[in-house]
């Protein structure tokens, strides 16, 4: 088995090519012959051929069968770390890598192995003279399908034929012939002259979509042969014997008809579909096949049928045992031992007949006894063995069967090669298929490669390498009827020249490479061993928390430390003076301060065996010499008992102050009650002992554990564990009264912590209030009770402030009869208090404006409006009443006369007019809140919209002129209408034939421009007979103000090139740069492609770099020396100045003393 390559991020494209080059014996051998010379080449870390050589050495040696990574090779490319996470094309990487290898050392083996020669020519049809240009190429890029060129090549041979087909230059495109001195008709083409030993072919599965101007993947079916005869394609074009590819549309129609016919016949032409085809009922009882030789058996001759079965079974067993006994690496399969498969063909234009018909048909249960030791089950087993099914129970038999098939296939290939070599030397055998899985924006590469060592095919998928059947390659031809522009298909093919026998031995490796790898592996092994040792050391480390009297320390130790040694360490750490026999270690519950398990007679056991773990709490106990340590009782446990008091405010333990009871878990409830009576004096018949119910949603808040039938149960039986908390209260005289603890538990469940601010503190416009006060209250109480508490707490009148939800911009709580819980206060809530008169329940303060569709042209739907006034409204009004009051107030304040039946009220959201309010709607049934904006829309005629209808806008798109109709037209649709119903309304609006109406819904109204109709992808819906409901997919019309664009499907759009130019002009002339910026994120969501680049470091570059570094270092040293000199000079100047100052001071003193003496 071969070694894989680790994926370093998104380097699957690189891995698949490197693995192919590794499996190319000529390339690997030539690379291993190259020698590194430190006088000519850069250092090894930057030398690409050396790193590639080093990588291939590790892959060939296959140390420990682990996957190898190409980090060294990637570093030699001079890539930054992010480059490993960029996706690239495998063909692009191949060209760049070959160029980098050639640049590194002027290597000629790339040219020798991969470079082919061709000619580009232009032939004058008048004088037959040619203008020829000789060219070279490393790979051929063949067209699979092109909608723009109207071409589809369904096989590799046809793609080659199309590639060299000449183009006729005529009409305005005539050729200026130098010989004729005139413009004449001519043929412009390409011809192959000489082919390389390794032929590299790219199936171009990516093309530009001319509708969206985006790249898309072509996953169409393209077959390719295992043996390629290139002699045919070195001939002149008119002598090539291959059927010319038909027109794309005609071919598609032909394939469609063929597909339907084969589907009706129950037999698919696709070899993969036929592979799993079940026999028809007519075939099952009559078809017998062995060694690919069909034998027809008459169903009425049962005796003869049994005889044939036995003969076939015996013959198979003999051949199978013979193959099994000779199953060694030296086994030679010949055409005599393995019959040729007449169904196997080696050109991709022909169908592969991989029929999996059953050996003896399907109806085997009715065969009866076929002789001694032979039953119908035996025949069923025989059927599985002959098929070589994946369900074969014996893996060894399956492996032999696959080996047989592969050898048979290789033998047939050799026969085909010998046959084609008679036509010429340019015969090639397929040995690598690099596959792209995914779409145009991203995917994954892996490779199917044939080994030159044993002739088997392997799947190289990054770090995973597995043996595979040659039949799997057939599934990579692509889809004959692709539904999506994505999938798994062959992309990059490599053929090697056939004829000469290829050596099966591995190329020899230079000794210095083996030594370097052995050294690296030894260093890696030492690092791993060191890491394992350090890991084990870390795992053995232990930190124990030790308690002794009032001391509490954390002691570091090891898991393999003996308990007696640990005790000595604790004694020394805590400075304990008692003797060893007067001290002991035991586990300790530090929270409840309860000593736990002791370790009697376990002094010589390790801490790990005693279940010590990190930060385990232990207690060091001491005693006097004449005393005995108390024996540890494992059944003794602590129970915390909370006794009911009327002054309990919360269930915090500090408030409850529970009593501690130490009792064994095998004591009964009755004995526990006796202990309570003895300690608290509460009679047993008055005791009610409860355990809190922690189950969410439970109707009972507690569980009683001392009912009459439970008295003989032990605490262990009732699952009363260590440190459990129980609750005790005395039985009341009235048995129907609820328990005090249950009421407290219920109150605790509904307890809510409310934070609020001081409304008397003035706030800046955008300042948030300081919620510095807190109250605890039952959230089942009303907001009025909460407000009263706030009023008492702050000492201000309850009617002088208002309460808002969450923050100062929240909604005012007007209905104080609602509960706190109904105002979204569950466990914790914040309310903002503001000074002011509280609003009356049902009264809202709204803003009123007037507006509608903007009269200025815009590609989208834009609204204009102006604010009029603020107004209080009552939620008990109907919309019709509100219209009347608004008209009255508009006339009073703005002197504008409006009629209620000629206006429409709209709810404004941001800059958009949304919901329409209908006359018969009650305001309280609408979503009302303070500071809501309602817009009055003036109408030319009475509103036609009904209460159950939605209002939308429609615009007509003319692709000929690239325009949208203006102003938008209104459309009214019910939520239950279909698209067909919408087509009737639109047909009346724009006088379009209903059969031709196509429409789309614009989701993002704010950023839409007409250029989106070209640059973006929309799903245009043909509306007539479309039964999709408008409120469901794909439109989802649920609110007013939806935007629909319609077009006439019969209108032919402009030429896409001209249309694209116009789009670019519109974007360039846009007066609003913000709109252009809004388009950028939408277009940049797709990954940007970056050109692949490999930087080749040469020796002279390295020397120049070293010289530059030396210059920089010398310059830095000179700067440092200059700095030191400047500092020294500065220090010297400072000293001189200080001395001068001292001298001046001394002179002043002398002068002063002289003056005093004179005086």
């Amino acid at each position: 088995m071969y070694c894989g390559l680790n994926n370093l991020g998104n380097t699957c494209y690189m891995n698949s090519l490197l693995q192919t080059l590794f499996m190319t014996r000529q390339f690997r051998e030539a690379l291993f012959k190259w020698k590194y010379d430190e006088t000519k080449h850069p250092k090894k870390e930057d030398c690409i051929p050396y790193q590639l050589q080093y990588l291939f050495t590790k892959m060939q040696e296959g140390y420990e069968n682990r996957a190898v990574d190409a980090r060294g090779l990637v570093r030699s490319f001079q890539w930054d770390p992010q480059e490993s996470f960029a996706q690239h094309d495998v063909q692009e990487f191949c060209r760049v890598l070959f160029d980098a290898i050639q640049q590194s050392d002027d290597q000629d083996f790339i040219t020798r192995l991969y470079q082919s020669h061709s000619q580009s020519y232009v032939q004058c049809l008048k004088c037959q003279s040619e203008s020829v240009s000789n060219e070279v190429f490393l790979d051929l890029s063949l067209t699979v399908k092109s909608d723009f060129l109207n071409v589809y090549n369904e096989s590799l041979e046809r793609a080659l034929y199309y590639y060299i087909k000449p183009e006729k230059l005529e009409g305005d495109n005539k050729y200026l012939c130098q010989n004729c001195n005139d413009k004449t008709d001519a043929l412009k083409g390409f011809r192959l002259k000489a082919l390389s030993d390794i032929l590299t072919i790219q199936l171009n599965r990516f093309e530009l979509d001319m509708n969206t101007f985006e790249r898309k993947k072509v996953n169409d079916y393209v077959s390719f042969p295992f043996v390629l005869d290139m002699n045919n394609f070195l001939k002149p074009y008119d002598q090539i014997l291959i059927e010319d590819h038909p027109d794309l549309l005609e071919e598609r129609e032909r394939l469609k008809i063929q597909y339907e016919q084969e589907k009706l016949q129950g037999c698919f032409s696709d070899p993969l579909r036929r592979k799993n085809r079940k026999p028809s009922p007519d075939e099952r009882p009559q078809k017998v096949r062995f060694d690919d030789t069909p034998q027809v058996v008459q169903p009425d001759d049962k005796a003869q049928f049994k005889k044939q079965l036995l003969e076939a079974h015996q013959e198979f067993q003999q051949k199978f045992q013979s193959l099994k006994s000779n199953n060694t690496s030296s086994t030679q399969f010949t055409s005599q031992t393995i019959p040729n498969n007449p169904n196997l063909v080696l050109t991709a234009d022909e169908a592969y007949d991989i029929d999996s018909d059953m050996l003896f048909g399907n109806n085997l249960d009715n065969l009866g006894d076929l002789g001694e030791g032979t039953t119908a089950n035996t025949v069923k087993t025989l059927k599985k063995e002959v098929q070589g099914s994946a369900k074969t129970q014996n893996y060894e038999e399956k492996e032999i069967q696959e080996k047989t098939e592969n050898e048979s296939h290789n033998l047939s290939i050799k026969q085909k090669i010998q046959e084609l070599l008679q036509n010429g030397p340019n015969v090639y055998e397929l040995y690598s298929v690099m596959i792209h899985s995914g779409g145009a924006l991203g995917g994954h590469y892996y490779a199917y490669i044939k080994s030159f060592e044993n002739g088997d095919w392997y799947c190289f998928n990054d770090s995973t390498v597995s043996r595979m059947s040659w039949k799997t390659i057939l599934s990579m031809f692509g889809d004959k009827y692709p539904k999506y522009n994505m999938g798994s298909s062959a992309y990059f093919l490599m053929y090697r020249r056939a004829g000469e026998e290829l050596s099966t031995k591995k190329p020899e490796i230079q000794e210095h490479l083996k030594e370097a790898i052995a050294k690296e592996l030894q260093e890696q092994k030492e690092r791993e061993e060191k890491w394992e040792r350090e890991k084990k050391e870390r795992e053995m480390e232990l930190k124990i928390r030790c308690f002794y009297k009032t001391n509490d320390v954390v002691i570091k130790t090891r898991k393999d430390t003996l308990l007696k040694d640990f005790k000595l360490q604790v004694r020394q750490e805590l400075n304990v003076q008692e003797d060893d026999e007067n001290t002991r270690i035991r586990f300790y519950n530090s929270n409840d301060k309860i000593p736990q398990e002791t370790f009697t007679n376990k002094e010589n056991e390790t801490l790990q065996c005693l279940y010590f773990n990190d930060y385990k709490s232990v207690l060091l106990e001491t005693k006097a010499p004449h005393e005995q340590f108390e024996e540890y009782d494992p059944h003794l446990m602590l129970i915390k008992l909370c006794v009911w008091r009327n002054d309990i405010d919360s269930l915090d333990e500090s408030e409850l102050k529970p009593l501690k009871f130490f009792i064994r878990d095998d004591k009964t409830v009755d004995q526990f009650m006796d202990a309570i009576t003895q300690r608290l004096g509460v009679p047993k018949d008055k005791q009610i002992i409860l355990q809190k119910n922690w189950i969410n949603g439970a109707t009972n808040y507690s569980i009683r554990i001392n009912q009459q039938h439970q008295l003989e149960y032990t605490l262990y039986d009732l699952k009363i564990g260590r440190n459990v908390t129980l609750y005790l209260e005395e039985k009341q005289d009235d048995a129907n009264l609820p328990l005090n603890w249950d009421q407290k538990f219920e109150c605790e469940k509904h307890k809510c912590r409310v934070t609020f601010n001081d409304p008397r503190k003035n706030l800046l416009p955008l300042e948030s209030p300081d919620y510095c006060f807190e109250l605890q209250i039952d959230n089942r109480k009303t907001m009025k009770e909460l407000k009263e508490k706030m009023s008492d707490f702050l000492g201000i009148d309850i009617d002088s402030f208002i309460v808002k939800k969450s923050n100062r911009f929240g909604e005012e709580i007007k209905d104080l009869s609602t509960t706190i819980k109904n105002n979204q206060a569950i466990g914790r809530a914040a309310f903002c208090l503001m000074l002011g008169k509280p609003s009356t329940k049902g009264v809202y303060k709204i803003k009123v404006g007037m507006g509608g569709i903007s009269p200025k042209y815009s590609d989208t739907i834009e609204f204009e409006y102006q604010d009029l006034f603020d107004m209080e409204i009552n939620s008990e009004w109907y919309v019709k009443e509100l219209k009347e009051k608004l008209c009255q107030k508009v006339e009073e304040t703005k002197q504008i006369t409006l009629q209620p039946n000629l206006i429409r009220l709209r709810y404004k959201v941001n800059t958009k007019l949304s919901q329409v309010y209908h006359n018969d709607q009650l305001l309280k049934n609408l979503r009302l809140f303070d500071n809501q904006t309602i817009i009055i829309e003036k109408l030319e005629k009475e509103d036609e919209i009904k209460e159950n209808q939605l209002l939308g806008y429609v615009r007509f798109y003319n692709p000929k002129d690239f325009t949208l109709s203006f102003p938008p037209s209104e459309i009214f649709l019910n939520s239950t209408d279909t698209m067909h119903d919408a087509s009737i309304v639109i047909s009346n609006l724009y006088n379009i034939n209903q059969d031709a109406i196509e429409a789309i819904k614009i989701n993002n109204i704010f950023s839409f421009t007409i250029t989106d109709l070209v640059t973006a992808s929309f799903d245009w819906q043909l509306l007539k007979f479309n039964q999709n409901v408008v409120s469901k997919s794909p439109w989802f019309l649920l609110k007013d103000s939806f935007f629909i664009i319609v077009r006439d499907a019969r209108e032919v759009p402009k030429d896409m090139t001209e249309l694209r130019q116009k789009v670019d002009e519109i974007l360039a002339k846009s007066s609003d740069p913000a709109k252009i910026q809004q388009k950028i994120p939408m277009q940049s969501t797709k990954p940007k492609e970056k050109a692949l680049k490999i930087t080749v470091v040469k020796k002279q570059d390295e020397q120049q770099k070293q010289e530059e570094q030396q210059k920089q270092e010398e310059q830095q040293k000179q700067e440092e020396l200059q700095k030191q000199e400047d500092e020294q000079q500065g220090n010297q100047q400072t000293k001189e100045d200080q001395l001068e100052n001292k001298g001046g001071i001394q002179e002043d003193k002398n002068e002063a003393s002289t003056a005093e003496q004179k005086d």
Side-chain angles (χ1 to χ4, degrees), residues 53-291:
Q53 197 180 60
Y54 193 78
L55 174 66
F56 280 13
T57 302
K58 290 197 285 186
M59 293 174 68
Q60 178 167 310
E61 294 298 316
Y63 295 102
E64 300 181 7
N65 292 324
R66 293 193 296 185
V68 183
D69 65 52
R71 296 180 192 275
L73 181 63
V74 169
R75 292 191 192 101
S76 69
F77 295 161
Q78 310 303 314
W79 284 356
D80 56 45
Q82 296 179 351
E83 189 66 33
S84 296
F85 294 91
Q87 299 189 43
H88 291 292
D89 184 86
V90 67
Q91 186 239 10
E92 179 190 15
F93 176 69
C94 181
R95 289 190 176 186
V96 175
L97 178 64
F98 283 177
D99 182 61
I101 293 173
Q102 288 178 310
Q103 289 185 39
S104 298
D105 194 22
D106 299 327
Q107 287 299 308
D108 63 342
F109 72 87
I110 298 294
T111 303
R112 188 176 70 254
L113 293 177
Y114 293 93
Q115 184 170 286
S116 300
H117 296 267
S118 63
Q119 281 185 352
S120 295
Y121 67 91
V122 179
Q123 182 184 15
C124 176
L125 294 179
K126 185 176 180 181
C127 65
Q128 302 302 318
S129 63
E130 287 187 355
S131 173
V132 177
S133 173
N134 293 319
E135 299 174 352
V136 295
F137 63 90
L138 295 178
D139 56 61
L140 287 172
S141 183
L142 303 181
T143 301
V144 174
K145 188 181 84 167
S146 173
D147 295 333
F148 181 75
L149 299 174
N150 201 28
V151 171
Y152 170 53
N153 298 308
E154 64 175 0
S155 68
L156 177 64
E157 291 91 334
R158 288 188 175 180
L160 281 167
Y161 183 73
Y162 173 77
Y163 185 74
I164 64 178
K165 181 180 179 179
E167 174 190 1
K168 190 172 184 180
L169 304 179
E170 56 186 353
D172 295 337
N173 199 25
K174 284 186 177 183
Y175 166 65
L176 178 60
C177 178
Q178 301 295 332
N179 192 26
C180 300
N181 197 21
D182 190 16
K183 286 191 174 183
T184 63
D185 292 346
L187 291 178
K188 179 182 178 182
F190 170 90
R191 62 170 68 102
L192 302 174
K193 298 301 291 182
L195 299 178
S196 57
D197 291 341
I198 307 295
L199 189 60
T200 305
I201 299 176
Q202 177 203 21
L203 299 177
N204 193 356
R205 291 193 174 274
F206 301 100
E207 71 159 352
L208 183 67
D209 190 331
M210 300 307 295
N211 292 323
T212 62
F213 288 90
E214 295 175 356
R215 194 170 67 158
K216 70 176 183 179
K217 182 175 180 181
V218 179
N219 202 46
D220 288 57
Y221 180 93
V222 180
S223 60
F224 47 87
F226 286 87
V227 179
L228 177 62
D229 184 8
M230 289 298 292
N231 294 304
N232 196 28
F233 299 99
L234 290 174
K235 301 175 184 177
Y237 176 76
D238 53 358
Q239 297 180 19
I240 297 176
L241 301 176
I242 189 170
E243 181 184 354
D244 193 7
H245 65 282
D247 181 80
L248 172 64
L249 299 179
E250 294 179 359
E251 174 69 1
R252 278 296 186 197
E253 190 64 28
R254 184 185 67 80
L255 288 175
K256 185 176 180 181
I257 295 173
Q258 179 184 347
Y259 174 78
E260 294 297 332
Q261 290 175 348
E262 291 172 346
K263 186 175 180 181
L264 291 173
Q265 294 171 2
C267 175
F268 295 97
S269 63
D270 190 337
L272 294 177
R273 290 187 176 125
R274 183 158 75 254
K275 175 181 177 181
N276 297 319
R277 178 178 64 86
K278 292 185 177 180
S280 64
D282 295 334
E283 296 173 326
R284 290 173 186 165
Q286 298 182 5
K287 201 168 185 179
V288 177
R289 177 171 293 185
F290 188 74
D291 286 346

Side-chain angles (χ1 to χ4, degrees), residues 5 11-24 88-95 97-98 114 138-140 144 198-206 217-219 222 224 430-438 443-450 457-462 468 472-473 475-478 487-496:
L5 286 175
T11 57
C12 56
Y13 68 93
M14 180 178 70
N15 290 348
S16 60
L17 179 67
L18 292 177
Q19 287 163 334
T20 296
L21 297 178
F22 173 75
M23 297 297 286
T24 306
H88 291 292
D89 184 86
V90 67
Q91 186 239 10
E92 179 190 15
F93 176 69
C94 181
R95 289 190 176 186
L97 178 64
F98 283 177
Y114 293 93
L138 295 178
D139 56 61
L140 287 172
V144 174
I198 307 295
L199 189 60
T200 305
I201 299 176
Q202 177 203 21
L203 299 177
N204 193 356
R205 291 193 174 274
F206 301 100
K217 182 175 180 181
V218 179
N219 202 46
V222 180
F224 47 87
L430 179 70
Y431 78 95
S432 176
V433 181
M434 278 161 272
I435 298 152
H436 180 268
S437 175
H444 177 63
Y445 285 98
Y446 56 98
Y448 293 161
I449 309 174
K450 186 176 183 178
W457 282 89
Y458 293 86
C459 175
F460 287 79
N461 191 351
D462 286 338
M468 54 169 277
T472 310
I473 298 172
S475 63
M476 293 299 123
F477 288 170
S488 299
S489 52
Y491 178 62
F492 206 44
L493 309 177
M494 284 201 180
Y495 286 84
R496 55 182 162 225

Side-chain angles (χ1 to χ4, degrees), residues 951-967:
L951 166 65
Y953 299 97
V954 183
R955 298 181 70 173
F956 179 74
Y957 169 55
N958 188 343
K960 281 186 175 181
D961 300 329
F962 196 53
T963 57
L964 288 170
S965 62
F966 187 83

Side-chain angles (χ1 to χ4, degrees), residues 950-954 969-973 1040-1043:
L950 297 174
L951 166 65
Y953 299 97
V954 183
S969 302
E970 292 184 347
I971 184 173
F972 309 114
L973 294 175
D1040 294 303
S1041 290
F1042 56 84
F1043 181 23

